Amino acid sequence: MHDDANETGAAEGLSFTVGEPGSLLRPHVTEMSAYSERYALPRARRQPPFPGIVMIFGFGAPLALSGPGGDRRLASFAAGLHDTYVDTVTAGTAEGLQVDLTPFGARRLLGVPLRELANRVVSLEEVLGGWATTTIERLAETPGRAARLALLDAVLGRRIGEAPAPDRRVAWAWGRLVAARGAVPVASLAAELGWSHRHLVSRFHDQIGLAPKAAARVLRFQHATGRLRSGLSAADTAAACGYYDQAHMNRDFRAMAGATPGEMTAPAFPVPG
């Protein structure tokens, strides 16, 4: 567990403590943290897509969110797999816990087809009912980030342990896409599984949220962003990531991040005014 700042939250800005998921959560959680943030003036951010699902157990000031699913103000929410960006505005003082999940971890924890969350942000109570309300209350009443992380690990581990396992064939197809950073033809996946294209899309909508082609595009975008941020050139990145040319990559970045590759990877990524 790593503590990036003290737990008082007295200073303006964001501070957080990263937790280590237990054995039941580890295969399904890419990161979990307890955070606090406080701003005298509203702070805007742009959240580009990534190949996972975010759950926020928050208390305090709600977050203003604007994206393809509409505008919401939520303190606790689940954000499904997106293929475009979401703009957020933080104002006042808030604290809570964030869990970044694999699609299969989210499918098990939430217990709903992930197409219901694709390109949407919904309140935790909307998708998890009274369980979410009780869990948020217990976390808010628990003092200290380490204790909150331990409690969340326990309650999520119990819930995921009682949930049905994901479809192994979809898990295999998703693993192929992730390993190839999206560079696998959808027709090849369907053929290797012995499925029709329509059936593969249907299973992805249930277990992943997005169709295979859209999910592959998110993985390619993530790969390209990582290469650019490491200092590799745009031309080499476009070729390595399977874009037709640099102009194709530019169009994809504008659609997914609302910015060019150069703007997206600048030290101060621009956000809406």
Side-chain angles (χ1 to χ4, degrees):
M1 184 177 295
H2 176 63
D3 194 349
D4 286 74
N6 64 54
E7 296 194 16
T8 66
E12 181 170 302
L14 169 68
S15 66
F16 60 94
T17 299
V18 176
E20 181 66 31
S23 59
L24 289 173
L25 287 187
R26 201 169 298 129
H28 308 289
V29 171
T30 57
E31 186 171 311
M32 63 187 299
S33 61
Y35 66 87
S36 60
E37 54 185 333
R38 183 176 69 85
Y39 302 104
L41 298 174
R43 176 65 60 91
R45 297 186 182 97
R46 175 156 288 174
Q47 312 290 346
F50 84 106
I53 286 81
V54 174
M55 291 176 68
I56 298 287
F57 297 80
F59 6 100
L63 188 68
L65 304 111
S66 178
D71 297 344
R72 308 288 301 270
R73 288 183 61 82
L74 299 168
S76 299
F77 57 84
L81 205 62
H82 281 61
D83 59 7
T84 190
Y85 58 88
V86 173
D87 290 327
T88 67
V89 178
T90 304
T93 301
E95 59 183 320
L97 296 97
Q98 175 170 331
V99 183
D100 295 347
L101 295 153
T102 68
F104 299 106
R107 181 66 177 84
R108 295 181 71 173
L109 281 171
L110 298 173
V112 298
L114 290 190
R115 62 176 171 271
E116 297 182 12
L117 272 72
N119 284 313
R120 294 184 65 209
V121 181
V122 301
S123 72
L124 280 188
E125 292 86 352
E126 185 177 336
V127 72
L128 290 171
W131 183 91
T133 304
T134 300
T135 300
I136 294 164
E137 289 173 351
R138 289 180 64 193
L139 289 167
E141 292 166 358
T142 300
R145 293 179 184 169
R148 285 175 175 171
L149 285 164
L151 172 60
L152 187 60
D153 181 79
V155 296
L156 292 184
R158 204 157 42 240
R159 186 175 179 89
I160 211 166
E162 296 169 353
D167 186 321
R168 288 184 296 176
R169 293 160 297 182
V170 181
W172 173 86
W174 175 249
R176 287 263 283 131
L177 278 179
V178 170
R181 301 181 175 95
V184 178
V186 175
S188 296
L189 291 176
E192 291 185 62
L193 287 165
W195 286 351
S196 69
H197 179 267
R198 176 179 291 184
H199 187 66
L200 178 63
V201 169
S202 173
R203 298 307 298 145
F204 258 66
H205 278 155
D206 180 86
Q207 301 272 309
I208 306 295
L210 297 176
K213 186 175 181 179
R217 189 166 163 244
V218 173
L219 290 164
R220 181 175 61 182
F221 168 80
Q222 183 190 46
H223 181 208
T225 300
R227 287 179 61 91
L228 291 167
R229 284 181 171 159
S230 72
L232 296 171
S233 74
D236 288 345
T237 295
C241 295
Y243 293 102
Y244 298 127
D245 52 26
Q246 196 170 330
H248 178 208
M249 183 173 72
N250 289 348
R251 290 193 299 273
D252 219 38
F253 267 65
R254 285 195 178 278
M256 301 186 81
T260 66
E263 291 169 338
M264 169 73 186
T265 55
F269 177 53
V271 295

